Amino acid sequence: MEYVLKTNALKKCYGHYKALNGLTMNVPKGSIYGFVGRNGAGKTTLIRLICGLQEPTEGEYSIYGISNTKKEIIKSRRRMGAVVETPSIYLDMTARDNIKMQYRILGLPSFDGVSDILKLVGLESTGKKKAKNFSLGMRQRLGIAMALTGNPDFLILDEPVNGLDPQGIVEIRELILKLNREYGITILISS
């Protein structure tokens, strides 16, 4: 079996506090992998480590078979999209302009695909409406849209249904299933 992510005895300490204490897990390619735990269990810490926002105290992980100790891990991370904690969106911009900004940040040569991403997440008809006027579910979908720029094949979502109403939860679940089944994206979800 091929694994997108493997962790081995991964630890992260903040002073005397152990946010992660020896986590070993394997995320199979093509799966939707749920990472469940109570508040403070280390879910976001794991995601921050994988995304390269922090370094582990001990242990190691690999993404697409490349160890976090190798410089090539940067190439593996380019295949990832992530929404860590709350979506990072520009509230005074439209959904389309948010996606275009993400294209610029990633250095993508054109805006081809912006309309496709907006349609995929159900935000194609938001027009000139600014993100600050979006519902929480719409903001979450915009965050996922931004994580999808660059065509990642591994998507990490940190509590994607947190605070959503029942309809919003259903919409996000359906989107996750669609991304996995129709686009073959491996998804790691914390909850």
Side-chain angles (χ1 to χ4, degrees):
M1 180 172 287
E2 187 178 348
Y3 295 101
V4 172
L5 171 68
K6 294 177 87 171
T7 71
N8 182 29
L10 202 57
K11 292 183 181 181
K12 179 63 179 176
C13 298
Y14 301 100
H16 295 292
Y17 177 71
K18 292 180 182 175
L20 281 178
N21 191 15
L23 177 68
T24 298
M25 66 184 236
N26 300 307
V27 178
K29 183 177 181 182
S31 67
I32 298 175
Y33 193 97
F35 186 63
V36 181
R38 59 179 169 68
N39 288 342
K43 300 179 303 291
T44 300
T45 298
L46 171 69
I47 291 170
R48 293 179 67 76
L49 293 175
I50 295 166
C51 292
L53 301 172
Q54 295 179 335
E55 291 293 323
T57 306
E58 288 181 38
E60 63 182 342
Y61 63 91
S62 64
I63 304 169
Y64 294 105
I66 306 295
S67 171
N68 66 298
T69 59
K70 307 271 190 216
K71 290 181 182 180
E72 294 82 17
I73 192 75
I74 293 169
K75 291 179 184 175
S76 292
R77 286 195 184 109
R78 287 186 188 137
R79 297 177 64 181
M80 295 172 25
V83 179
V84 184
E85 297 176 276
T86 56
S88 297
I89 58 177
Y90 300 95
L91 296 175
D92 286 322
M93 295 170 68
T94 66
R96 180 171 299 281
D97 288 339
N98 265 278
I99 302 298
K100 285 181 175 181
M101 181 60 74
Q102 188 67 10
Y103 268 59
R104 287 185 194 102
I105 290 167
L106 293 176
L108 298 175
S110 74
F111 296 131
D112 291 346
V114 171
S115 295
D116 294 335
I117 290 173
L118 289 171
K119 185 174 181 182
L120 177 62
V121 300
L123 295 175
E124 71 275 15
S125 60
T126 55
K128 295 183 187 266
K129 186 175 186 176
K130 295 195 186 308
K132 66 183 173 188
N133 298 317
F134 285 6
S135 68
L136 187 57
M138 290 171 73
R139 287 182 189 186
Q140 197 68 4
R141 285 186 279 143
L142 179 55
I144 293 171
M146 292 178 71
L148 290 171
T149 59
N151 295 317
D153 48 16
F154 183 30
L155 186 61
I156 300 170
L157 303 175
D158 191 8
E159 302 194 27
V161 296
N162 211 18
L164 298 184
D165 62 18
Q167 182 59 38
I169 292 170
V170 168
E171 290 170 1
I172 295 296
R173 285 182 180 166
E174 288 174 353
L175 175 59
I176 289 168
L177 285 171
K178 182 176 185 171
L179 293 171
N180 178 258
R181 292 178 181 161
E182 294 180 27
Y183 295 87
I185 299 173
T186 303
I187 303 173
L188 174 65
I189 305 170
S190 78
S191 184

